[in-house]
């Protein structure tokens, strides 16, 4: 599937699994709420301390995977069990956003995507928590790939 189609899968998926590498070299994958700013830039937010940040400080490389549709099927004519799905994968590098204006813009995008009916509280939330909210930018290092089984 083309890269544009894969990006649509990411846009539709409520969560994207972000896979990182722990400082000891073991894998760490976590489902997160991401927002896409353009064809090669995703963002997520987290605390400034914890396992995600430890991983990102160790290695900025990540992989992203998402499923926006998954429907188990039994195909009567073949007597076959299968799943129909739309999935996408991408790889990128992370960077912690330090510019307050970019952080606010990204947090607004996240809120508009996941809680649009509550935007009237956005400014107050920013006033309370901007300094303690970490925003991470993921820049894709190659085009995303998608797969569909219908």
């Amino acid at each position: 599937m083309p890269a544009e189609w894969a990006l649509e899968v990411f846009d539709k998926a409520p969560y994207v699994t972000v896979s990182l590498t722990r400082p000891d070299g073991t894998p760490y994958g976590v489902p997160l709420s991401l927002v896409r700013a353009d064809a090669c830039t995703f963002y997520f937010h987290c605390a400034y301390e914890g396992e995600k940040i430890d991983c990102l400080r160790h290695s900025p490389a990540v992989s992203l995977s998402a499923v926006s549709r998954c429907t188990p099927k039994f195909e009567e004519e073949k007597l076959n069990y299968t799943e129909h799905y739309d999935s996408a994968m991408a790889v990128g590098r992370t960077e912690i956003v330090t510019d307050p204006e970019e952080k606010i813009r990204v947090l607004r995008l996240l809120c508009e995507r996941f809680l649009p009916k509550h935007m009237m509280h956005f400014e107050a939330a920013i006033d309370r928590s901007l300094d303690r909210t970490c925003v991470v930018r993921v820049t894709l290092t190659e085009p995303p790939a998608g797969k569909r089984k219908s």
Side-chain angles (χ1 to χ4, degrees):
M1 303 301 290
E4 295 79 19
W5 185 89
L7 290 171
E8 288 179 21
V9 171
F10 281 115
D11 291 344
K12 292 176 185 173
Y15 304 100
V16 174
T17 299
V18 178
S19 297
L20 313 114
T21 304
R22 290 182 174 120
D24 69 1
T26 59
Y28 177 68
V30 60
L32 298 173
S33 301
L34 270 69
V35 67
R36 183 169 64 90
D38 58 41
C40 65
T41 311
F42 290 81
Y43 291 92
F44 64 89
H45 76 292
C46 59
Y48 276 105
E49 32 185 75
E51 191 154 18
K52 283 188 292 297
I53 292 298
D54 293 345
C55 291
L56 295 175
R57 287 189 177 123
H58 167 72
S59 173
V62 295
S63 72
L64 310 176
S65 62
V67 175
S68 65
R69 178 183 65 92
C70 183
T71 308
K73 295 279 185 178
F74 180 74
E75 299 171 326
E76 293 280 344
E77 66 283 355
K78 297 179 186 177
L79 298 177
N80 186 46
Y81 297 90
T82 190
E83 274 190 320
H84 294 192
Y85 58 86
D86 293 343
S87 66
M89 294 178 54
V91 294
R93 296 190 66 74
T94 60
E95 185 177 3
I96 294 173
V97 175
T98 56
D99 175 53
E101 289 182 21
E102 184 179 3
K103 283 178 65 173
I104 292 169
R105 181 176 56 80
V106 169
L107 293 169
R108 183 180 306 281
L109 288 173
L110 281 162
C111 288
E112 287 171 345
R113 177 170 184 213
F114 293 101
L115 292 166
K117 294 180 181 176
H118 300 279
M119 291 306 295
M120 71 286 279
H121 303 290
F122 179 79
E123 296 301 329
I126 289 297
D127 291 343
R128 277 191 319 277
S129 61
L130 183 64
D131 291 341
R132 65 177 187 260
T133 303
C134 180
V135 172
V136 178
R137 179 187 318 110
V138 179
T139 304
L140 300 186
T141 54
E142 57 188 66
K147 188 171 181 183
R148 164 180 271 171
K149 181 175 180 191
S150 299

